[in-house]
Amino acid sequence: MSSAKTLHDLTATSDYDPNSMPVEKAREHIRAFLSPVTTVERLSIRATLGRVLAEDVISPVNVPQHDNSAMDGYAVRFADLKSDAESTLKIVGASFAGKPFQGTLAAGQAVRIMTGAVIPAGADSVVQQERARACADQVSVMPLSKKGTNTRSAGEDLRAGEAALKRGQPIRPAEIGMMASLGIGEVAVYRKLRVAFFSTGDELVAVGTPLGPGQIYDSNRYTIYGLLVRLGCEVLDMGVIRDTPEDVEQAFKDAARSADVVITSGGVSVGEADYVKQVLDRLGEVLFWKIAMKPGRPLAYGKIGDAHFFGLPGNPVAVMVTFYQFVRDALLHLQGQTRAIPLPTQKVLCTSPIKKAPGRTEFQRGILSRDATGQWSVRTTGDQGSGILSSMSQANCFIILPTDQGNVPAGSEVDIQLLEGLI
Ligand code: AMP
Ligand code: MG
């Protein structure tokens, strides 16, 4: 972890090289400056889907509440059973889920019992019905190997007073169900992160307007919108900002005032960055990096007032790659998911040869698929230009080639990161 207190301190550390910043290092530097939101709201559990828990959820009860049966069969006293032959017991009643047997089992007695039903007082084990033969009010049961067979103990899932869920836990369907199972209808979650974003570039035209010569549609704002909404952020779309110092300065001021995080695309590459840099130097503390990665070399990170700022490259694919590799992590942390794990990678066979020069980490777009024999393999989407957005749409994973890696012959094992489910 970086020990720098301010972004300026960071630039004075011995291994700080803004012109060749390893992916891991950049992630680490960013992480050192993130502090999660603290505002909390209480919501009914269904409304918390996609939010982050702001408190431990303490179980008010034992789960399960009672000793209960894991099988359909007969509740018995283990002491009544012979160890090497069938035992015949008298059936004195039944215990159904939600309708327990009211009495107490005496010696020589059994109770018909269903899965999930409460074990009657006096009983301690269950003989599954496949190992029992009933005839009128008598049942012959086979031996059991030990006391407690086919029963589930009260509190074996959760004990009353124990934390069922911890603060920082993202709430998914399993967590909503879990809270409901404890009878909890409302819970404290962190407020949504507010993220403002805009595009810069005089060549950009908003969707719905005809293209003039040399103009292109602004696609990054749509991609970023999708990525942010999937992450559960509140989005503030500020549109396309003209490439003038005045307009850019005003946009940064407005964004930083109203949001926790400001994301821009374009305008951070060499040449273009100069005036953006001057503007940001006036408004806050922002570092400009050349990341040792492909695509996505230029990246700016810093603070404008209390807002975190990510200046992503302009190229549409580079926007997505840098978002997945840097912004996603940071947003999860800021949302309060302080134990979020890094994106997992898997090793898989690559069927296409890949050209690569050592020196940068590459994130190629890949298609993971399974052949008729059940073997999984990956191939690239083809042309890997950082403006080729169709490659992101065809891809279902990144193929990650480490910094020192050279050309990859077909048939090599490579690391992949699945795209679906990441966000
Ligand atoms: P820049 O970093 O501003 O030089 O942009 C790099 C490339 O990405 C240029 O070809 C831009 O036209 C393109 N680009 C920048 N912003 C966007 C955007 N919002 N949507 C689509 N392409 C963009
Ligand atoms: Mg530009």
Side-chain angles (χ1 to χ4, degrees):
M1 261 292 150
S2 311
S3 55
K5 294 275 181 300
T6 68
L7 286 150
H8 182 75
D9 292 343
L10 184 66
T11 62
T13 54
S14 59
D15 62 345
Y16 179 78
D17 179 2
N19 292 315
S20 179
M21 175 76 67
V23 174
E24 276 305 320
K25 205 84 214 154
R27 217 178 265 146
E28 215 176 274
H29 288 326
I30 294 169
R31 175 59 69 91
F33 293 101
L34 303 175
S35 33
V37 291
T38 51
T39 316
V40 162
E41 48 192 338
R42 289 196 80 76
L43 296 179
S44 74
I45 54 173
R46 279 190 185 169
T48 66
L49 188 63
R51 298 293 199 94
V52 180
L53 269 180
E55 63 185 5
D56 288 355
V57 172
I58 306 296
S59 178
V61 289
N62 280 322
V63 181
Q65 294 223 43
H66 307 280
D67 293 350
N68 68 86
S69 180
M71 292 281 179
D72 290 347
Y74 292 86
V76 301
R77 296 153 54 108
F78 183 71
D80 285 349
L81 304 188
K82 297 177 191 131
S83 62
D84 51 0
E86 283 192 352
S87 315
T88 301
L89 305 167
K90 184 171 167 25
I91 303 171
V92 293
S95 181
F96 296 107
K99 228 169 137 201
F101 176 72
Q102 300 295 347
T104 299
L105 224 69
Q109 296 182 339
V111 160
R112 176 85 176 117
I113 195 164
M114 299 298 157
T115 305
V118 175
I119 305 286
D124 53 36
S125 309
V126 171
V127 180
Q128 67 191 86
Q129 64 190 18
E130 293 78 4
R131 295 171 59 83
R133 268 182 309 112
C135 184
D137 66 346
Q138 303 275 309
V139 62
S140 298
V141 299
M142 291 197 230
L144 290 178
S145 59
K146 62 177 198 306
K147 189 170 164 173
T149 299
N150 297 326
T151 67
R152 301 186 284 221
S153 313
E156 79 176 13
D157 186 356
L158 274 175
R159 299 216 157 269
E162 224 170 44
L165 297 168
K166 294 262 201 233
R167 185 162 65 95
Q169 168 73 46
I171 301 174
R172 303 163 302 173
E175 283 71 33
I176 297 188
M178 176 97 177
M179 291 188 278
S181 79
L182 301 175
I184 292 172
E186 268 189 9
V187 75
V189 293
Y190 292 114
R191 71 164 169 81
K192 285 188 175 188
L193 268 189
R194 274 191 293 274
V195 185
F197 58 102
F198 58 88
S199 300
T200 62
D202 287 338
E203 75 281 26
L204 301 177
V205 173
V207 173
T209 317
L211 287 181
Q215 294 186 320
I216 57 168
Y217 284 117
D218 171 15
S219 61
N220 290 346
R221 249 178 340 115
Y222 290 80
T223 311
I224 290 172
Y225 165 86
L227 290 162
L228 291 172
V229 168
R230 279 244 187 133
L231 271 179
C233 298
E234 201 177 299
V235 295
L236 273 158
D237 183 345
M238 299 181 56
V240 182
I241 306 298
R242 282 197 310 132
D243 262 336
T244 70
E246 297 74 29
D247 287 17
V248 168
E249 173 158 357
Q250 194 56 48
F252 276 124
K253 276 186 182 159
D254 293 345
R257 207 180 308 118
S258 39
D260 304 300
V261 179
V262 179
I263 299 176
T264 64
S265 71
V268 289
S269 48
V270 183
E272 273 205 292
D274 290 352
Y275 81 85
V276 176
K277 220 174 181 151
Q278 284 166 18
V279 167
L280 288 171
D281 277 345
R282 266 203 308 282
L283 298 182
E285 213 182 356
V286 175
L287 302 174
F288 287 76
W289 294 332
K290 286 199 188 82
I291 311 286
M293 72 190 284
K294 189 179 170 185
R297 206 159 155 75
L299 183 81
Y301 168 72
K303 298 288 291 277
I304 309 171
D306 287 333
H308 294 270
F309 166 63
F310 293 89
L312 306 185
N315 280 310
V317 177
V319 165
M320 292 197 82
V321 175
T322 49
F323 188 99
Y324 277 120
Q325 299 307 321
F326 302 109
V327 184
R328 175 190 177 273
D329 249 33
L331 295 183
L332 294 184
H333 195 84
L334 291 171
Q335 282 175 345
Q337 290 194 45
T338 45
R339 289 183 304 274
I341 53 166
L343 295 179
T345 59
Q346 286 162 253
K347 291 215 180 293
V348 60
L349 223 62
C350 184
T351 54
S352 42
I354 306 177
K355 281 182 93 154
K356 179 184 181 293
R360 294 203 253 165
T361 307
E362 284 197 19
F363 296 86
Q364 300 234 344
R365 274 70 73 205
I367 301 170
L368 179 72
S369 60
R370 202 171 67 152
D371 67 18
T373 70
Q375 170 80 42
W376 288 93
S377 65
V378 70
R379 65 182 195 280
T380 68
T381 54
D383 197 337
Q384 297 288 313
S386 62
I388 300 177
L389 197 49
S390 61
S391 68
M392 266 323 295
S393 175
Q394 286 160 25
N396 57 12
C397 65
F398 286 128
I399 300 171
I400 306 177
L401 305 173
T403 314
D404 298 337
Q405 171 89 53
N407 289 334
V408 179
S412 309
E413 218 176 38
V414 291
D415 282 323
I416 63 152
Q417 219 166 40
L418 281 174
L419 290 174
E420 265 320 296
L422 287 189
I423 276 197

